[in-house]
Amino acid sequence: MERSRVLLVDAAPGALLGQELERLLGHGLAVTLNLRRVADGAGARADWGGRVDFTDFDPFDEAALLAETVRDGLGHHAVKSRAGVPLRAAFLAGATRPGLAHPLRVIGRAGAGTDHVELAAAARHGVTVTHTPGSNADAVAEFALAQLLALTRGLRSYDEAAHRGEWRAATAPPEELSELTLGIVGPGRIGRALAGRASALGMEVQAFSRRPAVTSAPALASARDLTSASVSVPDLASALASVPDLASALASVPDLASALASAPDLTPAPASAPDLAPASTPQPAPASAPGPAPRPNRSLPDLLATSDVVSLHLPLTPETRGLIGRAELALMRPGAILLNTARGGIVDEQALADALRDPAHPLAAAAVDTFEHEHAAFASPLFGLPNALLTPHVAGMTRTAMATAALRCADHIAALLAGRPEGIPVVTA
């Protein structure tokens, strides 16, 4: 039987490339590797020639991406990316057009979030979209904590002054973390991982969730977090754990929480090691469990007004686009800090820039890792502002997180192509 074809649009970097390719090949897939973002293209050809095919194109050029996907009328059954390469309606139509030997069936994202895919168009063309939620939760939480510490202690200004040979003492001693309240908007896997770390450092932590709290079995059954969860027992614990406020709901049911915690079959397996040998048949990689639940706050305006630091951890959807604008920024505490490691479109960047330029505005500083326009189109009104700490969407890029995402994505793609969707996170419009 002919092997399913996978186009690796942007592979895992460095030594992780070999692990990703071995995983895909171990699942019996035929791989085409795009060398454009591979640091050592010649080395990759030497190491993998004869086992994978090669191409070289700019994945952010939609015409080039489509041309390579359907080259010679063959097509690819799956496309995998990690950097959020836009996959819009025109690409999806072309990659699934009649006459292709292998029309597109699966899109895989090695990372969390699928806002780079036009989901309605994918559904129209019969393309399944998967990603790896939770694979980078610890990495992003650590990065957000680093942003918080850098801004609350003014590390960048001290560093810049010291490099100029200036000995700058603190004009106003800062507060310690135990004196500050952290507000988390979106207490999912990443939000809870950050909450656990901040709580351990003495911060008071509160969170606002746009989803209603789970208080009954019927509500649990309809919760959005469970729409793509496996019905199999081994995955039940991680699926249940991803539902906001479930811990408090379980606590209200006598003995249920302890029964669940003690049941060996409900304990989620640890994340697979990066060098784990591929399974003989496609199997989904397990998801890590989220951290402890922070104190809930039922109102976004109230959370903004009562937090010294606000950290965003939401997916970008039509409902969350522009969630933080001029009105919301104006509600924040004097001297407050905003952290965004989620998606750029959640925050009105012009409104944020205007707030940071205004010395009378309550917002004192912001750390931004995600932008409305990224990669080759990178541009922002935040450029040049000394109280804006800017980084190029690197919060989730630790070795462990990227290896976990790459291997888990390979497992998801293989399982879906093999007709085994159970337990695979699938995103729909």
Side-chain angles (χ1 to χ4, degrees):
M1 185 175 67
E2 188 175 14
R3 295 187 296 167
S4 293
R5 289 167 50 85
V6 178
L7 175 60
L8 209 55
V9 172
D10 51 351
L16 300 180
L17 169 62
Q19 298 175 36
E20 182 174 40
L21 290 175
E22 287 289 4
R23 190 67 152 227
L24 290 164
L25 294 171
H27 282 306
L29 303 174
V31 179
T32 301
L33 171 63
N34 181 21
L35 294 171
R36 180 61 57 95
R37 305 185 74 188
V38 174
D40 183 9
R45 286 184 181 275
D47 292 342
W48 296 95
R51 299 186 66 189
V52 306
D53 294 326
F54 300 99
T55 185
D56 191 336
F57 66 96
D58 177 6
F60 289 91
D61 180 335
E62 185 178 48
L65 173 61
L66 178 58
E68 293 298 330
T69 303
V70 303
R71 179 183 287 276
D72 300 325
L74 292 176
H76 287 84
H77 297 100
V79 168
K80 174 266 172 184
S81 72
R82 63 179 175 86
V85 171
L87 302 175
R88 305 307 183 199
F91 168 80
L92 290 160
T96 57
R97 71 184 185 219
L100 286 176
H102 308 294
L104 185 66
R105 292 168 47 202
V106 174
I107 290 172
R109 169 80 181 276
T114 56
D115 48 283
H116 64 299
V117 181
E118 194 165 327
L119 295 174
R124 287 197 305 272
H125 294 289
V127 177
T128 302
V129 182
T130 184
H131 64 145
T132 60
S135 58
N136 63 357
D138 288 340
V140 177
E142 289 178 2
F143 193 88
L145 185 61
Q147 291 175 320
L148 187 160
L149 289 166
L151 291 181
T152 57
R153 297 303 297 270
L155 298 187
R156 187 168 69 162
S157 63
Y158 289 130
D159 174 71
E160 292 172 350
H163 277 288
R164 293 192 299 267
E166 300 175 12
W167 189 264
R168 177 180 295 177
T171 56
E175 296 172 300
E176 294 186 2
L177 293 186
S178 60
E179 302 174 75
L180 302 178
T181 296
L182 170 64
I184 294 174
V185 183
R189 294 177 178 91
I190 297 172
R192 292 193 180 192
L194 175 59
R197 288 159 171 77
S199 296
L201 292 173
M203 297 190 77
E204 180 181 352
V205 184
Q206 60 177 333
F208 167 73
S209 174
R210 299 180 69 254
R211 298 174 183 175
V214 178
T215 57
S216 63
L220 173 60
S222 63
R224 287 179 57 191
D225 277 354
L226 294 182
T227 54
S228 62
S230 169
V231 296
S232 63
V233 170
D235 289 333
L236 179 59
S238 57
L240 291 174
S242 67
V243 182
D245 296 330
L246 180 59
S248 58
L250 289 177
S252 66
V253 182
D255 297 328
L256 178 58
S258 58
L260 284 174
S262 63
D265 289 340
L266 292 181
T267 304
S272 56
D275 58 353
L276 186 65
S280 58
T281 57
Q283 298 291 331
S288 59
R295 174 172 59 83
N297 188 315
R298 303 297 179 183
S299 163
L300 177 60
D302 186 67
L303 178 136
L304 294 173
T306 58
S307 298
D308 300 290
V309 182
V310 174
S311 191
L312 306 179
H313 301 286
L314 295 161
L316 179 61
T317 66
E319 293 74 27
T320 64
R321 179 172 291 279
L323 182 69
I324 305 297
R326 295 183 189 278
E328 289 73 26
L329 294 170
L331 295 174
M332 300 183 74
R333 275 184 173 177
I337 291 171
L338 178 69
L339 312 177
N340 186 11
T341 55
R343 288 293 186 269
I346 295 171
V347 179
D348 181 337
E349 284 182 36
Q350 186 60 60
L352 179 59
D354 292 343
L356 293 174
R357 286 192 181 94
D358 182 359
H361 198 282
L363 184 67
V368 180
D369 185 58
T370 56
F371 299 83
E372 182 75 24
H373 303 289
E374 299 186 347
H375 299 285
F378 183 37
S380 174
L382 297 167
F383 289 175
L385 294 178
N387 51 350
L389 177 62
L390 310 182
T391 50
H393 208 150
V394 294
M397 293 186 181
T398 63
R399 182 171 58 182
T400 296
M402 296 184 77
T404 300
L407 300 186
R408 193 172 291 168
C409 186
D411 293 347
H412 292 173
I413 289 172
L416 291 170
L417 290 177
R420 300 184 180 93
E422 296 81 10
I424 305 301
V426 169
V427 184
T428 57

